[in-house]
Amino acid sequence: MSALTQALWVLLLGSLLGLELIGKVPPTLHTPLMSGANAISGITVLASLTLIAQANDQLPLLVLGSLSLGFALFNVVGGFLVTDRMLAMFSRKSPRTGGPR
Amino acid sequence: MAGLELLPALIDLGAVLLLALGIKGLSKVSTARSANGLAALAMGLAVLGLLIQQPLSPQAWLWVAIGTGLGGVLGLITAQRVPMTAMPETVALFNGCGGMASLLVALGVALFSPGEGSSGLVEQISIVISVFVGAITFSGSIVAMGKLQGWIDTPSWTQSSLRHAVNIALAVACLAGAIALPGDMAGSPLWLLVVASSLLGIGVTLPIGGADMPVVISLLNSYSGVAAAAAGFVVGSQLLIVAGAMVGAAGLILTQVMCTAMNRSLVSVLFGGALGGAAPVGGGGEAAGYTRITSCSAEECALALEAAERVVFVPGYGLAVAQAQHALRELSKLLENHGVEVTYAIHPVAGRMPGHMNVLLAEADVPYEQLLEMDIVNPEFPRTDVVIVLGANDVVNPDAKTDSTSPLYGMPVLEVDQARQVFVVKRSLGAGYAGIKNALFELPQTAMVFGDAKAVLNGLLTELRSMGVGKKVAA
């Protein structure tokens, strides 16, 4: 299997997985879920790091990669922390009921 | 030997597994928080795996440190400082930055082509997609944030069909840039694509009314996943492709769920323009056509509350704007001590984002069990004594059920008109976010309490306390 075919399979299966993962979500969790998924989309950090790693110390590439890494990390760090802040408020509320009805 | 080569692959697989579990866990209240941590852990693993596979030179480390320092610290500060009421804007901002990151990676590869030199068709296509989607995600998210913050208005030309012409022209420009790109990777086609896609992101988002903004943010969130997946093709990372595809697909589902809640199709959200903007009635006109409005003072409202047995609060964006969640919580505590049954009716799209109200009220320590979803609370309204609508408008408009000419017709609403008495706390009679007149305000059982939600709630608290409500009557 060529690298491309393999990548396309990965794309297809990843998409299907994404469609299946969240079927029923209580409206309460829409905002945190959106925010969490948004943080995960900051996985572009991997692309930024790869760009830096393969830059062969070319300065423009290093700068672009670093800038891109900054943007992606802003998304990741901010996204996860904000999501956690929101969710922390839910879990503190219902220790005895143990979640939604 | 084999073990050493296997290790990064195993780390990647572990990261994918954890990410999937994370997304899944985020959709249940009981597991959401740990799932978020799991996803963050997965992200750390993925980075670790990459660093094992691709060792960095000292100079590269320096630039990694700069990027990490800037992005990480800014993210940390933003996440801690931003108020809960500004969550939707914040998510939009983060999202836009994710898109920008993909755009920059694609630019870097296109301009300086690192790695194995001659780029194949696949790489070119991936670059086009990554630039196109990344730029749209960025500019669209920033516009969405600006509109939610109130920095940007909806210009009137965007409500005419002119915008379609503009957007189509921009799309054609993008296509032209994309087709010309393989011939000249680092030249003008690339910049044409960057500029045209960015403008297209603005042109598509700008005409959309605030009521539809949650859907747009969710859709843009899905785009940023697509952009990440495209960046994965550009740099050849399967992990990135999987994660991007998962987020893209999950974002689409969430977008669909939101559209269903508002009874709008995605197509009409994207191309229909602002709700009510072109509608014959009202549309921004102050107090347009209201004739039978009863207004009342906080004192009268307090008297009704004092006598009530069942009270339902309907929070909306006005509550968030006024930062009145703590005052509201205090008022309900007072009423509960007085023996009143207090609940909150949460419309799926109340506020600017689904779940916005839940987050807001959770911040004020409102018990989770008191927040009732629409399907559960609607049958309860006929036996409710007092409903207090706090800065919500379109989600309680009875026209959505009865008036087939209303642009809201068909949207599920909270049936507060079934309750015995309704107080609507609102700053003015100005139209709601959808720009539509609300028939609820003219019903005989409705009274308007004009004022900022927080001021009114504090007024109610004072009135009730002076009546002696909530003082320990002790058995």
Side-chain angles (χ1 to χ4, degrees), chain B residues 225-446:
Chain B
V226 175
F233 274 97
V234 174
V235 300
S237 158
Q238 294 193 344
L239 177 54
L240 200 47
I241 298 175
V242 183
M246 278 199 299
V247 171
L252 265 187
I253 296 278
L254 194 55
T255 311
Q256 193 54 51
V257 168
M258 288 182 200
C259 280
T260 315
M262 304 204 310
N263 196 38
R264 299 262 276 147
S265 74
L266 194 52
V267 175
S268 66
V269 167
L270 290 181
F271 303 110
L275 242 188
V281 249
E286 281 292 301
Y290 286 114
T291 48
R292 297 181 304 256
I293 294 294
T294 322
S295 90
C296 84
S297 64
E299 191 184 356
E300 290 167 75
C301 183
L303 281 170
L305 282 176
E306 198 264 336
E309 282 177 21
R310 261 183 65 89
V311 173
V312 176
F313 290 105
V314 179
Y317 191 60
L319 183 82
V321 171
Q323 291 278 352
Q325 65 272 31
H326 295 284
L328 174 58
R329 172 66 179 139
E330 213 175 318
L331 178 64
S332 15
K333 267 191 203 155
L334 196 72
L335 291 172
E336 277 167 16
N337 288 343
H338 187 58
V340 181
E341 188 190 341
V342 179
T343 47
Y344 303 79
I346 310 293
H347 190 276
V349 293
R352 288 292 181 273
M353 207 179 231
H356 193 182
M357 291 301 123
N358 304 70
V359 170
L360 194 68
L361 292 174
E363 194 202 1
D365 279 330
V366 171
Y368 182 73
E369 312 84 69
Q370 286 186 1
L371 308 183
L372 304 182
E373 284 169 27
M374 185 166 58
D375 305 342
I376 295 166
V377 78
N378 265 347
E380 304 278 316
F381 280 122
R383 52 180 209 88
T384 299
D385 301 307
V386 176
V387 168
I388 299 199
V389 179
L390 292 156
N393 191 344
D394 300 324
V395 297
V396 292
N397 194 335
D399 276 349
K401 286 177 301 178
T402 51
D403 179 3
S404 61
T405 62
S406 167
L408 288 177
Y409 185 69
M411 179 174 106
V413 288
L414 293 165
E415 293 160 8
V416 299
D417 52 315
Q418 304 289 317
R420 268 167 227 143
Q421 220 175 351
V422 181
F423 292 95
V424 179
V425 178
K426 214 171 170 307
R427 271 176 301 185
S428 71
L429 271 181
Y433 226 87
I436 294 160
K437 200 177 146 181
N438 193 337
L440 175 74
F441 301 167
E442 294 191 314
L443 293 176
Q445 70 268 40
T446 306

Side-chain angles (χ1 to χ4, degrees), chain A residues 65-101:
Chain A
S66 176
L67 208 60
S68 151
L69 181 67
F71 272 110
L73 264 180
F74 179 67
N75 185 355
V76 172
V77 173
F80 279 126
L81 286 178
V82 150
T83 311
D84 189 63
R85 242 181 88 189
M86 282 191 257
L87 293 171
M89 295 185 309
F90 290 138
S91 50
R92 185 155 36 89
K93 275 334 85 49
S94 47
R96 261 158 274 123
T97 50
R101 281 156 294 178

Side-chain angles (χ1 to χ4, degrees), chain A residues 10 15 22 26 29-31 34 38 41 43 49 53 57 66 68 70 74-75 78 80-81 84-85 89 92-93 101, chain B residues 28 33 36 50 57 59 63 67 71 75-76 79-80 82 94-95 98 101 105 221 224 240 242 249 258 354 365 369:
Chain A
V10 167
S15 309
I22 56 159
L29 284 178
H30 282 173
T31 302
M34 191 192 293
N38 173 45
S41 72
I43 188 117
L49 282 173
D57 290 350
S66 176
S68 151
F74 179 67
N75 185 355
F80 279 126
L81 286 178
D84 189 63
R85 242 181 88 189
M89 295 185 309
R92 185 155 36 89
K93 275 334 85 49
R101 281 156 294 178
Chain B
K28 279 205 196 98
R33 197 174 179 198
N36 185 52
L50 185 98
S57 69
Q59 207 192 346
W63 286 98
L76 197 74
Q80 279 171 349
V82 69
F94 287 145
N95 192 45
V105 168
N221 184 29
S224 72
L240 200 47
V242 183
M258 288 182 200
D365 279 330
E369 312 84 69

